[in-house]
Amino acid sequence: MHNEPRILKYTEALREATEQAMAEDPSVFVIGLGVSYKNGADGTTAGLKELYPERVLDVPVSEDAFTGMAVGAAIHGMRPIVHHGRVEFALFAADHICTQAAKWNYMFGGNNPVPVVFRINVGRQWGNGPQHTQSLFGLFGSVLGLKVVIPSSPYMAKGLLRAAIKDNNPVVLLESRWVFPVKQEVPEEAYELPLDKAHVVQSGNDLTVVAYGDGVIAAREAIELIGDQVDVELIDLVSINPIDEETIHASLKKTGRLLTVDTTSASFSIGSEVAARALRMSDVTFRTTPGMLSCPDVPCPTSTALSEAYYPTKVDIANAILAQCGKDQITKELTFEELHLPPTHTIV
Amino acid sequence: MSTRLDAFRRMTLLRIAEEETANLYLRDKIMSFVHFYVGQEAVAVGVSDSLMSNDRAMGNHRSHGHYLAKGGDLRRMLCELLGKAEGSSHGKGGSMHMIDRSAGFTGSTPILGSIVAIAAGSAFEQKHNATGDVTVAYVGDGGSEEGGVYETMNLAALFKLPLLIVVENNLYSVNSKLLDRRSKEYSVEGVVRNLGLAYAKADGNNYDDVRSKATALLEGVRAGKPAVLECLAYRHMAHSAPIFDDAQGYREEDVLERRLAEDCLKKMKARLLEEGSSEEVFSDIENEIRTHVLEEIAYAVAAPYPSPETLYTDVYA
Ligand SMILES: Cc1ncc(C[n+]2csc(CCOP(=O)(O)OP(=O)(O)O)c2C)c(N)n1
Ligand SMILES: [Mg+2]
């Protein structure tokens, strides 16, 4: 029995990091719509209200005010975790996130930390459409004064959330709803992962694939589809502010080929930012023009008949990898479930 | 002037259209976010019946009823719920984005509270062009807590906009109770009146009460005194699924027996019986409407999906 792996869902991993931080530090509190429910915040705050009734706060539908209140509490010594169930709701609090929390330390000449965590759910989810599925990675990535990470797995979710809580700056976690049911072995003890380092998921010599969040899941599946035709180095960007250029640089020097994978539209995307930085690396010799995969430059529609062509699939990614390396394309029909339902597998 | 039996007919349409949609969703596992209005029909129908045909209404995430009560097309709504090309938004929007401009229902958004300011913009246009029409904004008790709603009330009073904000108070924002979100001292009436708007409170489970209070307020609204009509009504189904959720145990006041006792359709029938109507009349109407709704659902199920190229259309006008 004791050798059974400890498998947690992404949402459970976030919950565990939160509970551990709350147990250790009485200045940590959780605030957001529905965080006190039995299955609060998609399970990421489940049961915490019973454990810490004074530190788990359900709120009126007043994102601007409760986010500002959390920022104010952080400025005065607490460590709030603010939850926004969709990025569109967080935009009501754009001032507090982007202009107040993000600039506070700088505008007072330093020594004015704002240790607040903004947990913001983003991205694809069936049937949710143009006003509930934006990701806005580029927007958050462009706000100076924020640290911005995108956990792609349960292991990472737990370690990054803990690091975010401990950090003395405003940290935004952009959590792809699509990844919520994904499972992985997660150690019980608390651990931190760096907020500013990319993660090399697998190393390879032919091509560097840079992805993040749910794109990493699809990229892993694509690599599986291709088999050993191409020796791919897969980099999970993890942080988009800052972007870990060192890891990308080391990889590109080896491979000379780049493919970026975005799970949002192309313009002002993370892929464009990565490509722009890569092209400025003067000692990298590109063997092909860098490739970019993304959603088209349109909002995400609601009808499944339209949304099925919206997100890059594992087949799209596989073909982009093959194209970069001059190999033949593959064809594979995806099922309705593969196209529209989130993955539930266990990452090994 | 429409009769009470006409109103019963419209409320029944709202109810049956959603009941049958819920069945369809469960049976065919339809994947589109959906919030049912079942239980609150007296609000939309009572308010709509006190409007003139050129008046406008705008809604939120729970707007099937607001749309149908204003005269929105049933077929295009059902097609939209199923993501079909003939849907009112050609499948781009889905359940949370109802629109039928020809009926004066000029849009709805699930971003809570936002519709109130947008509806104030509609009212601004109406005032600017001296059309004599008004705009109704439907917002929930939860949505009404957004700062922008308070700001809009101030603006509307300042600019004397012909705006009626209908706050549908169904006691919950998802499963959060009013007292999870407001102090005991919170008074909607106090807030509204002190910002300079008129206020009335109606029993949202009672068509006649909603209609008479709305009619009274609208006289002032048309003359430039914006108003809030707060309607207390029960949401019978879960927050956002085609199911009943009593097993979750969060409901206090609006438990099943209470909801059934206060059901707006039941109350309406009692009133109509007093006026000499009969159970037979009711069941004839219900059967006729159910047949119609099922035909329209069959049409929507068979209707074609939008073609893939339309993914790229409509970003700009
Ligand atoms: C700005 C914003 N915050 C949060 C949500 C998530 N949300 C969707 S519906 C809902 C409850 C709304 O309650 P209420 O306004 O009372 O309407 P009801 O659902 O009761 O009809 C919440 C919190 C949202 N859609 N928009
Ligand atoms: Mg409500």
Side-chain angles (χ1 to χ4, degrees), chain B residues 13-210:
Chain B
L13 170 67
L14 268 58
R15 175 71 54 97
I16 290 179
E18 286 204 319
E19 279 176 357
E20 293 301 339
T21 304
N23 287 337
L24 180 72
Y25 268 57
L26 290 175
R27 200 174 58 238
D28 292 353
K29 303 196 183 81
I30 288 167
M31 300 207 304
S32 163
F33 223 45
V34 69
H35 304 80
F36 287 106
Y37 194 61
V38 173
Q40 301 178 215
E41 294 89 347
V43 177
V45 176
V47 168
S48 297
D49 282 358
S50 52
L51 295 174
M52 314 286 253
S53 59
N54 283 335
D55 291 335
R56 298 183 188 133
M58 306 192 82
N60 50 52
H61 57 292
R62 197 183 297 289
S63 271
H64 305 159
H66 307 143
Y67 165 101
L68 288 175
K70 189 71 176 69
D73 186 77
L74 175 64
R75 175 176 290 187
R76 301 213 304 140
M77 173 180 115
L78 293 168
C79 283
E80 189 60 31
L81 297 189
L82 300 190
K84 299 301 178 77
E86 258 182 80
S88 39
S89 306
H90 313 297
K92 296 244 168 56
S95 160
M96 301 192 290
H97 304 278
M98 293 286 104
I99 187 164
D100 188 341
R101 296 175 69 126
S102 67
F105 192 81
T106 59
S108 64
T109 168
I111 302 304
L112 295 176
S114 290
I115 207 65
V116 180
I118 291 171
S122 165
F124 180 85
E125 185 278 335
Q126 288 164 324
K127 182 178 184 208
H128 182 77
N129 290 319
T131 63
D133 307 322
V134 306
T135 301
V136 171
Y138 290 101
V139 65
D141 51 299
S144 75
E145 291 159 353
E146 291 289 1
V149 176
Y150 299 84
E151 294 175 24
T152 304
M153 286 195 258
N154 180 37
L155 271 180
L158 177 69
F159 293 147
K160 301 187 172 28
L161 301 181
L163 176 69
L164 176 66
I165 302 170
V166 175
V167 176
E168 280 181 276
N169 183 347
N170 59 11
L171 309 174
Y172 302 102
S173 170
V174 191
N175 296 3
S176 300
K177 304 180 226 312
L178 290 171
L179 286 178
D180 296 334
R181 299 178 280 126
R182 302 168 184 190
S183 74
K184 283 204 194 69
E185 288 72 34
Y186 189 108
S187 154
V188 178
E189 174 166 13
V191 169
V192 170
R193 287 201 192 280
N194 285 316
L195 283 168
L197 289 80
Y199 171 88
K201 185 179 209 159
D203 174 358
N205 295 318
N206 181 331
Y207 168 82
D208 291 284
D209 197 43
V210 172

Side-chain angles (χ1 to χ4, degrees), chain A residues 79-95:
Chain A
R79 290 191 177 266
I81 303 172
V82 183
H83 177 264
H84 290 292
R86 295 182 197 277
V87 69
E88 289 84 357
F89 314 158
L91 289 183
F92 278 74
D95 170 55

Side-chain angles (χ1 to χ4, degrees), chain A residues 1 10 31 40 55 68 78 100 112 119 149 161 175 184 194 200 236 247 249 267 291 315-316 324:
Chain A
M1 247 335 259
Y10 188 94
I31 189 165
R55 290 193 280 142
M78 296 194 75
Q100 304 305 335
N112 274 282
R119 287 188 45 215
V149 291
L161 178 53
E175 303 164 0
Q184 192 177 25
V200 179
D236 181 340
T247 300
H249 181 232
S267 296
V315 179
D316 300 330
Q324 282 287 320

Side-chain angles (χ1 to χ4, degrees), chain A residues 37-38 58-63 86 88 92 126-128 130-132 296 298-299 301-303 305-306 309 336 340-341, chain B residues 31-33 83 91-93 96-97 109-112 114 142 145-146 173-176 181 248 305 307 310-312 315:
Chain A
Y37 296 0
K38 282 200 194 89
D58 192 10
V59 280
V61 189
S62 307
E63 287 86 356
R86 295 182 197 277
E88 289 84 357
F92 278 74
W126 53 263
N128 273 266
Q131 292 193 322
H132 271 37
V298 298
T302 299
S303 176
L306 299 176
F336 185 88
H340 298 292
L341 292 180
Chain B
M31 300 207 304
S32 163
F33 223 45
K92 296 244 168 56
M96 301 192 290
H97 304 278
T109 168
I111 302 304
L112 295 176
S114 290
E145 291 159 353
E146 291 289 1
S173 170
V174 191
N175 296 3
S176 300
R181 299 178 280 126
Q248 284 192 34
Y305 281 105
S307 64
T310 63
L311 172 60
Y312 305 96
V315 182

